[in-house]
Amino acid sequence: NNNNNNNNNNTSSKEDGIIIPPIDHPRDRGYSDSTSDSDTNMPPSTPSRGVTDSPQTAPNLISNLLFPQCLLDVPTAADLLPVSLNAIVCHGKFMALVLTMVYLVVLVLVWIPLYIVSFGIGEIGVYVALVLLVFGIGRFIVRYITFPGGSSYRVPTEISQEFAKYSIRILDNAANVCIDLSNHLLTSSSRKKSSRFLSDFCTLWERVVQYRDRILEVYRDTFRCLHDCQGQATEIHISTDLTLACTTATEGIQDTEVIHRTEFGNNILKGDIGTTTPISSYTFEERGNLCKLLTKQLSDLTALENLLPKRTTGNKKGQIKGITADAISNDIRNAAQQLIKSSKEVKDALQSLCPSAESTVDEDDNNGSSNSTNSRQSNPNNPRAIIKKAKDFLESMFDRVQPGIGGIFNMDVLRGCVIARYINACQYWVPRSMKNGGGFVDCLHIPPLPSDTPKDGVKRAVLYCNPNAGLYEVSTGMNLVGGNVKLYQHQMPSDDDASSCSDSTHRREETCWADFYLNQGYHVFLFNYSGYGRSYIKFGRLGRIMARFCCLRNELEKSGVSSSNKCWRIFKSMVFDVKPSPDSLKADALTVAEHMTTVLQIDKLVIHGESIGGMAAASTANELCTKANNNNKTCIVPSLLICDRTFCNLEATAQRLVGGWAGPAIRLLTPFWNTDVARDFLNTTCPKVVANDGCDIIIADVSSLRSGVALAREFHSNDTHRVGWICDAPIEHRMSDWENVGVMKSRLFQKTPTIQAAPIWPADKRISINEAFYFAACVKRIGKVATAAKRNAKPAGRRQPSHDQEHDEEEGIEITTLRISSSTTANKDHDCEEFDNGDDDDSVGSICLSLSNTSSPNNSPNDDIFEAWKVLSCCDGLCGLHLGICVKHGHDCVVSWLSSTLTYGCQSVTSVAEQRRMANAATANDGDLEIISHDFDRRSKEYSNSHVEGETEEGVVHPIPIPEVISTLKKLMDRRHLRGKDCGIGTVETEIRYCISMMEYIVDRIASTQVVESSLNALHFRENAQGDDNGGEEDVGFFFKLHCGHNNQFSVDERDYLRLILKKNV
């Protein structure tokens, strides 16, 4: 019977015209000694797995039936454990001992307490309590993963530790530079004849001035504010020569023409710097001592500067000029010696702070431990290390009290350094409404420089919403070199003109979004969500009941952190403390936006949300538009909404990162969370931009906001419920794929299948979900047949793949990596008339798809199927991933690719056509725009040049435009009669014809007048007057294609194009 089954499987596989390995059932392995080499697709010299030379006995036969070799080869959970745990699991006696210990622990710690509790609440009460406990723990884990910056202090702890290391290093370097300068002046008597004395002095003095202006004074002022004024910077006058102007919540935006600076050009600290981190009295005293040492070092440096010769004429009057060795007096030498002394005192103080600031190892690891002990502790697979990591993870999740973060250099110091780097920057608090729980939102306002402020008097501002682990203290970078104060700093005078430090050079340095928007003349508003940093909600669900009692406990906690009250802190954190949620993020962003428009009187507002901040940005823009449409005069419609690399909903993102079970689990554990970004984005009536990178490794392409909007628009009539979730293909397609037969040719599917007809434009304004899944099944079938034909070709000189390799490729579509070359440019396909493309007008970068070698013997009947799969896999979807990559990820990813091409791909094609029309006829109207096949071609000029010269790189294929794919497939179908009906392409004739019809529908729809008109309106941010059933792209926003990944800053070209968008809209 087994041999007959094999023969039947082979026969059914050969009916399609190509040899495909038979379906391998576990019951067929182990006792089929008559299976031929051709049936198993193995070379004659290689015995089949499970085939024996001698007749099998009954015990061996039963053993092979119960434990087939294919199951024995599957890795188990024990194989994935660390070496130490694997030794315990694989040792029977040790495992029995471990299980006994686990049983006793569960008995003592779980069963006996629950048994005692059952006398009070009953057995049903115990079960209910266990269910609630599991529900609470699961909910807390979901919140911790979703909001790592607000659900625990792990993120601020790591930030503070890194900032402490950076601060100690940079202050130590500043002291070393001061010592080098002083030594250079003291050794002048021995270097009178040296011609390099003057140039070395100028170089050292320039470095000293930079450290003094950007480092020493910033830390000195911040320490003084925190130590002497308890963080209230508005009450301290750092410089006696300048008056301090404080921005309050009722004064609106100040006149930015007035620049308030410290003695050395930094911004005067304004606002509440804060003393939120609990520190010990010893740390407080050490911070005061370090502040005194820095003050003394700056005073000694100022005394030395006053003794050095200065310029008396010119634009650099009063600045230090070069000094010769003969001009050094005894007073200068004494001042240099005093500077050396104060600098060494600073270095000694910093040296004593290094262990506490940089301690990242366990307290038990001391210098006297042996090398073997250190090696065991550093081993990540050591049980002690695993237990410590688990303990730290649980404490970081549940313990909400900051454990003395960073010592002296904590988040408060970092906050003061950020404010000192930007001219007229100010911290202020925005009150939350009582219906949202009360509390305050910590905000930072950075106005533009007078030279960048628009002359039309319109106050333009941007509200930046941080990503999930972001704080505004680090959104501008931790490096003190950033900021805009350097545009007003004293420059080092020397014989060389410091042209490298001109304003234009500094303006091009955009290391963060704050610098980018400040250079455009925007007021930048940064804030922390409630639960992040110092922002907080005053009352939670049980806060009003326990407010007075918690205040008493808080007074006790201010005295210090000890292990005795840790249990109370954990309990209070889980029950009473208010933690971040999607609703709190949205409420915080809306609160700040309304404060900007009503109190600060902003005229034009841009809302920029990155990652999870896009959820808050889209909701805020939707609420403001709704209120403005309801004649609310206090609210204005946002000038632009930018959703930057965000998701359509949280559940879809979790499914792609964790697994398909994550979506229902999140919905079950957090039933009241609303993370539907796609719905808010579609409902927003203001101009909007969706920015997305198809190769984003954090937010999968199918779960991105672009895909969610496209899926809802194309298939669900703007219904965004569960959009982007993992969706199984229809049962008929899954059965056909499992049987390895053509689409809709399953012999096990009971229902009579019907061949799906392709949509036709303009009869079909939208495609159906069944048509999309049928297209996905057809493309996957073509890829599987091409892959099987390649494996069965067996070219000479190639080693036969092993059984494991064949098993890995059993379901494989042989697509490898998507490689982007270094010449990639961003969004050149969206360039409008204001954008000067230069020589790269039609280039979006050389995006190359590297395929496996699909070469076959000459004159092989499978050449056509290889060529068909090659052009299909490299088909350019105009929005992100290529079709072959989407096929590898599943049917739903292909459906997302199809909907995105129809919804947003038309904008790319229309933009290229508009550029072509402008180059040929500058006076043409929008109605005269006609789409041609060349407008779909987004390949770079590198490809065009290499294609003409015949110097294409072997094994690398560029993205192929859709019209070229259609043309190639039609040519292959026209010559199939030369190969015969049973050739490789003949077995998938139906699938290829359907793909051709679907792609023709895509081209016809994109080139239609209605879609071209709506695409032009989207490109130029004009309102669409068309109806909803015209197949256009109204209300879907402008698509901004990126190539920068998820966490990286925009490239130079991408930032330049964003400037054009801002200029056109705002």
Side-chain angles (χ1 to χ4, degrees):
N1 293 333
N2 179 61
N3 294 335
N4 294 333
N5 290 334
N6 287 336
N7 294 333
N8 293 334
N9 289 334
N10 290 335
T11 303
S12 62
S13 301
K14 293 179 181 179
E15 289 179 357
D16 293 333
I18 189 167
I19 299 176
I20 299 177
I23 301 176
D24 194 6
H25 298 282
R27 66 174 183 271
D28 298 337
R29 297 180 183 268
Y31 59 92
S32 177
D33 56 351
S34 60
T35 305
S36 61
D37 293 335
S38 61
D39 292 335
T40 58
N41 197 21
M42 299 287 287
S45 59
T46 305
S48 300
R49 189 180 297 270
V51 178
T52 57
D53 296 336
S54 60
Q56 297 184 0
T57 61
N60 292 335
L61 181 61
I62 296 176
S63 176
N64 290 330
L65 285 175
L66 296 178
F67 305 102
Q69 187 66 32
C70 63
L71 296 181
L72 298 178
D73 293 339
V74 176
T76 62
D79 299 329
L80 304 178
L81 293 175
V83 178
S84 57
L85 297 180
N86 195 333
I88 297 176
V89 173
C90 296
H91 196 284
K93 296 181 179 180
F94 287 167
M95 192 60 190
L97 181 61
V98 170
L99 291 178
T100 304
M101 295 175 61
V102 171
Y103 171 77
L104 293 176
V105 170
V106 173
L107 179 66
V108 175
L109 299 181
V110 179
W111 190 88
I112 293 179
L114 292 178
Y115 178 75
I116 297 174
V117 172
S118 64
F119 288 101
I121 63 176
E123 184 179 355
I124 298 178
V126 171
Y127 293 147
V128 172
L130 287 177
V131 171
L132 293 178
L133 179 62
V134 173
F135 178 82
I137 294 176
R139 181 182 175 89
F140 201 93
I141 293 175
V142 170
R143 191 189 302 272
Y144 179 83
I145 296 175
T146 307
F147 307 105
S151 297
S152 72
Y153 286 110
R154 183 177 182 180
V155 172
T157 299
E158 294 176 354
I159 293 174
S160 297
Q161 290 176 353
E162 292 300 323
F163 179 67
K165 297 176 184 178
Y166 169 79
S167 299
I168 292 176
R169 183 173 64 254
I170 200 69
L171 288 174
D172 186 75
N173 292 339
N176 290 331
V177 172
C178 293
I179 294 175
D180 292 341
L181 175 66
S182 301
N183 290 331
H184 184 77
L185 295 175
L186 293 176
T187 58
S188 59
S189 58
S190 60
R191 305 178 58 185
K192 290 184 178 181
K193 298 181 180 180
S194 175
S195 59
R196 294 181 55 86
F197 180 83
L198 179 59
S199 60
D200 292 344
F201 170 78
C202 293
T203 302
L204 289 173
W205 180 254
E206 181 179 2
R207 295 183 60 191
V208 167
V209 169
Q210 291 176 356
Y211 276 105
R212 179 198 65 184
D213 297 347
R214 303 306 308 279
I215 305 298
L216 297 179
E217 190 193 37
V218 170
Y219 281 100
R220 191 273 311 270
D221 295 345
T222 304
F223 287 157
R224 181 185 296 178
C225 175
L226 294 173
H227 187 269
D228 298 340
C229 302
Q230 288 75 42
Q232 301 299 321
T234 56
E235 300 177 2
I236 181 172
H237 294 262
I238 298 175
S239 176
T240 57
D241 299 332
L242 298 175
T243 59
L244 184 65
C246 304
T247 302
T248 62
T250 59
E251 293 177 358
I253 294 181
Q254 286 185 331
D255 186 7
T256 56
E257 297 292 338
V258 180
I259 301 300
H260 302 280
R261 293 184 295 151
T262 60
E263 180 182 359
F264 299 118
N266 295 301
N267 181 47
I268 296 179
L269 300 181
K270 291 176 284 187
D272 183 11
I273 308 302
T275 55
T276 57
T277 302
I279 59 175
S280 62
S281 58
Y282 173 77
T283 304
F284 186 78
E285 293 177 0
E286 288 293 325
R287 176 183 290 172
N289 294 333
L290 184 58
C291 178
K292 295 178 181 178
L293 293 176
L294 292 177
T295 303
K296 187 174 184 301
Q297 185 182 16
L298 284 173
S299 62
D300 293 340
L301 183 58
T302 303
L304 177 62
E305 181 182 12
N306 294 332
L307 296 175
L308 295 175
K310 299 179 178 60
R311 297 180 184 270
T312 57
T313 59
N315 296 331
K316 300 179 180 180
K317 180 180 179 180
Q319 298 183 5
I320 301 299
K321 67 178 181 180
I323 186 174
T324 60
D326 297 333
I328 298 177
S329 62
N330 293 330
D331 293 338
I332 295 178
R333 291 188 176 90
N334 293 335
Q337 291 178 354
Q338 191 65 26
L339 180 60
I340 291 177
K341 180 180 178 181
S342 59
S343 300
K344 288 183 177 180
E345 291 177 353
V346 172
K347 287 178 61 66
D348 294 339
L350 295 174
Q351 191 68 25
S352 64
L353 298 177
C354 288
S356 60
E358 301 185 18
S359 59
T360 57
V361 297
D362 192 3
E363 294 179 357
D364 296 335
D365 297 340
N366 48 56
N367 296 330
S369 59
S370 60
N371 295 333
S372 60
T373 304
N374 291 333
S375 62
R376 288 196 302 269
Q377 293 171 348
S378 61
N379 184 10
N381 296 328
N382 189 283
R384 181 182 178 185
I386 296 175
I387 295 174
K388 181 180 181 298
K389 290 181 180 179
K391 176 177 175 294
D392 295 340
F393 174 76
L394 293 176
E395 287 188 354
S396 64
M397 282 177 50
F398 299 111
D399 195 356
R400 296 282 298 166
V401 175
Q402 303 185 41
I405 297 175
I408 294 178
F409 303 96
N410 53 19
M411 294 294 294
D412 298 331
V413 179
L414 177 58
R415 189 179 303 109
C417 293
V418 171
I419 297 176
R421 297 206 311 262
Y422 290 93
I423 295 297
N424 281 351
C426 178
Q427 183 277 341
Y428 65 96
W429 296 94
V430 176
R432 303 178 85 255
S433 62
M434 291 303 299
K435 68 178 182 179
N436 293 325
F440 290 87
V441 180
D442 187 9
C443 299
L444 177 64
H445 170 216
I446 308 177
L449 296 176
S451 58
D452 295 330
T453 303
K455 304 303 181 183
D456 54 4
V458 178
K459 297 177 182 178
R460 300 175 175 87
V462 59
L463 175 63
Y464 177 73
C465 301
N466 294 318
N468 59 349
L471 300 170
Y472 80 70
E473 287 86 354
V474 295
S475 60
T476 59
M478 196 178 298
N479 193 346
L480 296 183
V481 178
N484 58 8
V485 295
K486 54 188 171 183
L487 299 178
Y488 291 92
Q489 276 192 313
H490 302 291
Q491 299 295 332
M492 168 60 195
S494 61
D495 297 337
D496 306 338
D497 186 17
S499 59
S500 60
C501 298
S502 62
D503 289 357
S504 59
T505 303
H506 291 309
R507 295 179 192 276
R508 289 195 297 267
E509 296 178 1
E510 298 171 349
T511 59
C512 61
W513 284 119
D515 296 341
F516 171 81
Y517 285 108
L518 288 174
N519 289 342
Q520 314 309 315
Y522 284 78
H523 294 263
V524 178
F525 289 85
L526 309 173
F527 70 99
N528 288 333
Y529 306 115
S530 296
Y532 288 70
R534 300 186 300 172
S535 300
Y536 67 96
I537 301 176
K538 188 174 183 180
F539 296 116
R541 296 192 181 102
L542 301 177
R544 293 178 177 89
I545 302 175
M546 297 295 295
R548 184 170 300 178
F549 183 62
C550 290
C551 290
L552 297 177
R553 295 292 308 187
N554 291 334
E555 293 297 329
L556 297 177
E557 290 175 1
K558 290 181 179 180
S559 59
V561 179
S562 61
S563 59
S564 60
N565 57 2
K566 182 176 294 186
C567 296
W568 161 253
R569 294 199 311 268
I570 294 176
F571 175 75
K572 185 173 72 72
S573 172
M574 296 182 62
V575 178
F576 303 113
D577 284 359
V578 180
K579 304 174 183 65
S581 66
D583 292 337
S584 68
L585 266 64
K586 297 175 183 179
D588 293 336
L590 180 60
T591 299
V592 179
E594 290 179 343
H595 180 82
M596 294 168 59
T597 56
T598 57
V599 179
L600 303 182
Q601 300 176 357
I602 293 294
D603 298 324
K604 291 188 176 183
L605 175 63
V606 176
I607 306 178
H608 185 158
E610 181 178 352
S611 188
I612 204 173
M615 176 178 62
S619 176
T620 301
N622 185 27
E623 290 292 334
L624 291 178
C625 291
T626 302
K627 292 182 179 181
N629 294 334
N630 294 334
N631 298 326
N632 189 339
K633 298 181 180 180
T634 60
C635 294
I636 62 173
V637 177
S639 301
L640 185 64
L641 167 64
I642 303 176
C643 291
D644 180 11
R645 291 162 288 184
T646 187
F647 47 78
C648 58
N649 57 73
L650 183 62
E651 294 85 356
T653 305
Q655 283 187 323
R656 307 293 171 173
L657 288 176
V658 181
W661 58 269
I666 293 177
R667 185 62 59 87
L668 176 64
L669 295 173
T670 57
F672 301 105
W673 281 16
N674 180 15
T675 61
D676 194 351
V677 186
R679 185 182 62 182
D680 291 332
F681 187 84
L682 285 172
N683 294 338
T684 303
T685 58
C686 68
K688 48 196 174 184
V689 175
V690 51
N692 171 251
D693 184 1
C695 299
D696 196 326
I697 62 176
I698 303 299
I699 299 177
D701 185 73
V702 68
S703 61
S704 64
L705 178 59
R706 184 212 69 214
S707 297
V709 171
L711 289 170
R713 185 67 176 167
E714 189 67 28
F715 303 118
H716 306 292
S717 301
N718 289 348
D719 183 11
T720 58
H721 177 65
R722 297 174 67 96
V723 69
W725 284 39
I726 293 179
C727 181
D728 293 332
I731 183 62
E732 56 268 23
H733 299 321
R734 284 181 284 160
M735 293 300 299
S736 300
D737 184 53
W738 183 80
E739 296 179 51
N740 206 2
V741 297
V743 179
M744 307 300 292
K745 295 181 180 179
S746 173
R747 287 176 290 273
L748 300 179
F749 186 62
Q750 299 297 330
K751 185 179 179 181
T752 303
T754 57
I755 302 300
Q756 188 73 39
I760 301 176
W761 179 267
D764 299 317
K765 299 298 183 181
R766 308 283 181 188
I767 62 175
S768 65
I769 190 66
N770 292 330
E771 293 170 345
F773 272 110
Y774 192 87
F775 172 76
C778 290
V779 178
K780 183 174 183 179
R781 176 61 183 169
I782 296 172
K784 290 190 68 173
V785 172
T787 302
K790 174 208 163 188
R791 292 202 309 266
N792 293 333
K794 297 181 182 179
R798 180 180 177 183
R799 182 177 63 85
Q800 185 69 19
S802 63
H803 172 80
D804 294 338
Q805 292 174 344
E806 289 182 355
H807 180 74
D808 294 339
E809 295 179 353
E810 186 178 16
E811 298 292 336
I813 309 298
E814 293 197 0
I815 301 295
T816 55
T817 57
L818 182 67
R819 180 169 60 86
I820 301 178
S821 65
S822 59
S823 61
T824 299
T825 57
N827 284 281
K828 297 294 182 63
D829 53 338
H830 284 316
D831 299 337
C832 305
E833 61 268 21
E834 293 92 342
F835 190 67
D836 186 10
N837 295 321
D839 297 334
D840 298 328
D841 54 346
D842 59 348
S843 171
V844 295
S846 180
I847 303 177
C848 305
L849 187 64
S850 179
L851 300 175
S852 300
N853 186 13
T854 57
S855 61
S856 59
N858 296 331
N859 300 323
S860 171
N862 295 322
D863 286 344
D864 289 346
I865 189 63
F866 293 154
E867 183 67 19
W869 173 237
K870 177 181 177 180
V871 296
L872 276 175
S873 62
C874 298
C875 182
D876 186 11
L878 305 173
C879 293
L881 297 177
H882 302 290
L883 183 55
I885 302 297
C886 296
V887 172
K888 189 72 174 179
H889 293 166
H891 288 78
D892 53 351
C893 191
V894 178
V895 173
S896 173
W897 178 91
L898 184 60
S899 62
S900 298
T901 302
L902 292 170
T903 304
Y904 288 108
C906 53
Q907 297 182 9
S908 173
V909 177
T910 304
S911 176
V912 176
E914 186 180 22
Q915 296 174 26
R916 173 178 50 80
R917 185 197 61 183
M918 292 173 56
N920 297 333
T923 60
N925 297 324
D926 292 349
D928 301 328
L929 187 61
E930 181 181 359
I931 304 297
I932 61 177
S933 299
H934 180 71
D935 298 333
F936 289 82
D937 194 350
R938 299 163 61 251
R939 289 172 290 197
S940 62
K941 285 191 174 182
E942 296 178 359
Y943 165 80
S944 303
N945 298 334
S946 61
H947 185 71
V948 173
E949 299 174 1
E951 298 180 355
T952 58
E953 184 179 355
E954 183 179 359
V956 176
V957 183
H958 292 260
I960 302 176
I962 296 178
E964 185 175 333
V965 173
I966 297 174
S967 176
T968 303
L969 292 179
K970 285 184 175 181
K971 291 179 181 179
L972 294 175
M973 294 301 297
D974 291 340
R975 69 185 187 193
R976 74 184 188 283
H977 63 278
L978 300 177
R979 302 288 187 182
K981 184 178 179 181
D982 295 334
C983 66
I985 198 172
T987 60
V988 291
E989 178 181 355
T990 304
E991 288 81 358
I992 292 180
R993 290 193 180 279
Y994 189 85
C995 292
I996 293 175
S997 300
M998 181 61 75
M999 292 188 177
E1000 287 178 342
Y1001 171 82
I1002 295 174
V1003 174
D1004 294 340
R1005 176 171 163 178
I1006 291 178
S1008 63
T1009 304
Q1010 299 93 332
V1011 176
V1012 170
E1013 183 178 356
S1014 60
S1015 299
L1016 287 172
N1017 292 335
L1019 290 173
H1020 298 283
F1021 298 95
R1022 298 193 296 252
E1023 293 185 0
N1024 224 319
Q1026 297 290 337
D1028 184 52
D1029 56 350
N1030 66 338
E1033 280 61 56
E1034 63 277 8
D1035 300 331
V1036 298
F1038 175 81
F1039 173 59
F1040 192 174
K1041 186 177 179 181
L1042 304 176
H1043 298 95
C1044 56
H1046 186 76
N1047 296 319
N1048 299 327
Q1049 182 71 8
F1050 279 18
S1051 65
V1052 176
D1053 294 330
E1054 291 166 349
R1055 291 198 300 269
D1056 290 341
Y1057 190 67
L1058 183 57
R1059 288 188 182 92
L1060 295 179
I1061 295 177
L1062 294 173
K1063 180 180 179 182
K1064 179 176 296 186
N1065 289 277
V1066 188

